[in-house]
Amino acid sequence: MFLTSAVVTGQVLRAVGGFYRIALADDTIVEARLSGRLRPGGAKDQQGPVLAGDQVILEHSSAMWLITDVMPRNTELRRPPIANVDLCVVVQSVRAPTPNMDMIDRILIQASHAGLDTMLCISKADLGDEESIAALLRPYEIAGYPHVITSAISGLGIDELARALKGRISTLAGASGVGKSRLLNAVCPDFNRAVGEISKRAVRGRHTTRQVELLKLPFGGWIADTPGFSTLSFGDMTLRELPATYPDFTRYAAQCRFASCLHRGEPGCAVQHAVEEGRIDSGRYQRYLRFAEEVEELEARRY
């Protein structure tokens, strides 16, 4: 039996329809609602919605848990919407659905901009061959991203993925159908996440995860199962911020003639020179140029 007005801290595991599943410090799971000051129009409404991953302060009174405050966030992703994650694992299947390099780069950019560590997870390796997997990985190996090759069917790479997740708060992010839920089930069969089939007509994944949910890993840490998506915008990122989200650019940027170089045709650009010499993947650089135009247009609309 709870004491009246007991005040504790906890971590939000899931937020659905105004109800929040919370893990308390002793691993007790409780359901809570927002106090009046956190609801729309309340005194602290301006801080935005409470997200999975948030550390919160709760008060128990009148047979109900209420979230009374949200602690400052270390990190925040807008898509998937989650707080306090420190590792983003970008999942891309070898095929079914076809690799979407734009989506991979967009997620890596947003995760880097939010201050998260990143790694690439190639899934469904049983559907590809060494050549196709190597071609998919090559731009990101050149860029220096850590990666793991996995198959939820054969078990390939699952132990390596588990080691990367151990003791961290992580999220799997990627397009619908790339196999995020299958990977979670392979890492921890007790999760028993629903998995979907690939639409034969559209050759894309069907959504099986409907909302962000943090799951406790048996070997330590938390992992977020997140909905897949087919589009991803750059939000409020500025053009000046974009190049810094590319680790393959930053290793050469200091050698550019101009400190303000955006690597879009400026004279003496060391990044462009690295592209010409094959030290930066040309396809990834061309996508950067398209993204820079998109960010520039979004920035112009804001002002």
Side-chain angles (χ1 to χ4, degrees):
M1 182 174 180
F2 294 111
L3 297 176
T4 302
S5 298
V7 177
V8 298
T9 61
Q11 183 172 46
V12 179
L13 304 183
R14 188 175 67 180
V16 180
F19 291 89
Y20 299 82
R21 179 174 293 175
I22 311 289
L24 304 183
D26 63 359
D27 290 335
T28 300
I29 305 298
V30 301
E31 298 288 335
R33 304 199 69 172
L34 296 180
S35 65
R37 64 201 298 261
L38 292 177
R39 293 176 189 167
K44 298 201 72 173
D45 173 39
Q46 71 278 4
Q47 72 181 22
V50 176
L51 303 178
D54 268 326
Q55 294 286 338
V56 296
I57 297 174
L58 304 99
E59 181 174 333
H60 189 268
S61 182
S62 302
M64 176 182 290
W65 284 103
L66 291 176
I67 300 173
T68 59
D69 210 347
V70 181
M71 299 181 189
R73 293 166 179 162
N74 295 320
T75 62
E76 178 183 345
L77 280 176
R78 294 193 175 183
R79 192 163 184 188
I82 189 168
N84 297 318
V85 168
D86 53 42
L87 174 65
C88 179
V89 180
V90 183
V91 182
Q92 175 59 66
S93 53
V94 176
R95 66 181 183 88
T98 302
N100 184 337
M101 311 299 271
D102 270 33
M103 180 64 73
I104 295 173
D105 285 352
R106 285 173 183 271
I107 300 172
L108 289 170
I109 288 167
Q110 294 218 353
S112 175
H113 186 243
L116 278 65
D117 291 337
T118 55
M119 71 177 297
L120 182 62
C121 175
I122 303 302
S123 63
K124 304 184 184 181
D126 51 286
L127 299 182
D129 53 34
E130 289 186 9
E131 185 177 350
S132 61
I133 293 171
L136 178 55
L137 272 176
R138 191 171 297 117
Y140 304 99
E141 286 184 310
I142 294 173
Y145 289 102
H147 64 270
V148 58
I149 300 169
T150 64
S151 167
I153 301 300
S154 71
L156 174 69
I158 299 303
D159 288 344
E160 185 179 351
L161 177 61
R163 286 193 295 271
L165 302 175
K166 184 178 180 179
R168 310 192 72 170
I169 302 178
S170 310
T171 182
L172 302 183
S176 300
V178 295
K180 298 185 296 296
S181 294
R182 286 188 187 277
L183 285 174
L184 284 176
N185 289 342
V187 168
C188 181
D190 289 345
F191 287 160
N192 195 29
R193 310 304 286 176
V195 297
E197 299 178 350
I198 300 297
S199 165
K200 293 183 179 179
R201 175 179 296 181
V203 197
R204 64 172 182 266
R206 293 174 176 159
H207 298 277
T208 53
T209 303
R210 300 300 179 183
Q211 66 275 321
V212 176
E213 181 174 6
L214 272 181
L215 305 169
K216 190 169 185 178
L217 293 166
F219 44 79
W222 296 84
I223 182 73
D225 191 11
T226 65
F229 36 83
S230 57
T231 60
L232 187 63
S233 73
F234 291 107
D236 59 0
M237 188 179 300
T238 68
L239 183 58
R240 291 290 175 190
E241 293 171 326
L242 180 63
T245 65
Y246 280 74
D248 35 350
F249 290 11
T250 55
R251 70 176 65 136
Y252 301 109
Q255 303 168 32
C256 292
R257 181 182 302 176
F258 304 108
S260 60
C261 187
L262 293 173
H263 322 307
R264 301 194 332 177
E266 298 91 336
C269 176
V271 169
Q272 292 172 237
H273 185 59
V275 173
E276 293 165 2
E277 292 191 338
R279 289 178 283 129
I280 293 175
D281 180 74
S282 60
R284 187 164 149 81
Y285 175 69
Q286 292 301 317
R287 291 191 293 276
Y288 163 77
L289 294 178
R290 293 200 305 272
F291 296 159
E293 289 183 2
E294 181 179 335
V295 171
E296 192 172 32
E297 290 175 3
L298 290 170
E299 194 172 1
R301 290 177 198 167
R302 291 198 295 270
Y303 301 103

